[in-house]
Amino acid sequence: MRALINYFLRGVVVVAPIAFTAYVCIRLFEVVDGWLPFAVAPGVGFVLVIGAFILVGFLASTFLARGLFGLVERLMTRLPFVRLLYSSTKDLLNAFVGEHRRFDKPVLVTVFPEAGGRAIGFVTQDALDHLGLDGQVAVYLPLSYSVAGHMVLFPADRVERLHADSAEVMAFIVSGGVTRVGVPLGAEPPAPDPRVTSA
């Protein structure tokens, strides 16, 4: 009986992540397909939307369209309530996938010195002198099994850089420490190959 239970649980571990991922992808396709004003085959709307984003990204990199997008951005930043939504959304997306990524500096911070408690986060600003906070850094601490988190200010000397991939560290935090990180947290990064030159 115990063997059957073990097989069942092992089957759940194998099937559940696949089923959940497939369900989310199908729902995503259905939602995006629903944005179109006409009926399409499943997934076609998703492909069209991806293509539209690629086209807009290409146009935004051209000289002529850059001025138009700049005009729209200036308009967005002048409207009171719209400015809050636009700026916060743009900064959040830029932090993850933009040219000025902010979640690329995983760190270890001391939260409870007396108990030796530490937390893993990401430095989003290396200096806060403009706020009159000399020697402080801004650290974002994501919450496990959530898209939320806390932004906490720490003295720079209580922040220890982690030599690990940012995406793996984020997965490690969000999974509650279950997901394994390729490089041990706090370990020195491998020495660069002298045969590889930077572009």
Side-chain angles (χ1 to χ4, degrees):
M1 187 63 180
R2 179 174 297 178
L4 291 177
I5 294 175
N6 288 337
Y7 290 148
F8 172 77
L9 295 177
R10 185 174 299 176
V12 169
V13 170
V14 172
V15 174
I18 298 174
F20 178 73
T21 303
Y23 172 77
V24 171
C25 290
I26 292 172
R27 289 294 299 159
L28 179 62
F29 286 168
E30 291 175 350
V31 169
V32 174
D33 288 345
W35 293 350
L36 300 178
F38 48 87
V40 294
V44 173
F46 184 81
V47 173
L48 292 177
V49 170
I50 294 296
F53 282 137
I54 293 173
L55 178 62
V56 170
F58 169 74
L59 293 176
S61 63
T62 63
F63 178 75
L64 295 177
R66 196 175 302 164
L68 176 62
F69 285 116
L71 178 64
V72 172
E73 183 171 0
R74 286 193 295 273
L75 176 64
M76 291 285 207
T77 55
R78 288 182 180 176
L79 300 174
F81 181 68
V82 174
R83 176 178 59 189
L84 174 64
L85 294 176
Y86 176 78
S87 299
S88 58
T89 304
K90 181 181 178 183
D91 290 343
L92 179 62
L93 290 176
N94 275 327
F96 282 100
V97 297
E99 296 177 357
H100 307 288
R101 296 182 185 179
R102 294 298 178 91
F103 295 103
D104 59 350
K105 299 176 183 175
V107 294
L108 194 64
V109 294
T110 302
V111 182
F112 307 110
E114 64 282 353
R118 300 194 289 179
I120 297 175
F122 298 86
V123 171
T124 54
Q125 291 201 37
D126 292 304
L128 299 172
D129 300 345
H130 58 287
L131 297 176
L133 301 171
D134 298 342
Q136 300 275 317
V137 296
V139 178
Y140 177 73
L141 303 174
L143 298 177
S144 298
Y145 297 101
S146 173
V147 296
H150 300 288
M151 198 283 295
V152 185
L153 306 183
F154 289 96
D157 58 0
R158 288 177 59 182
V159 176
E160 177 184 345
R161 181 70 188 268
L162 290 177
H163 301 291
D165 181 71
S166 300
E168 290 188 356
V169 173
M170 181 67 81
F172 177 78
I173 297 171
V174 173
S175 70
V178 175
T179 301
R180 292 179 61 88
V181 178
V183 178
L185 297 179
E188 289 295 327
D193 191 336
R195 295 171 296 181
V196 179
T197 57
S198 58

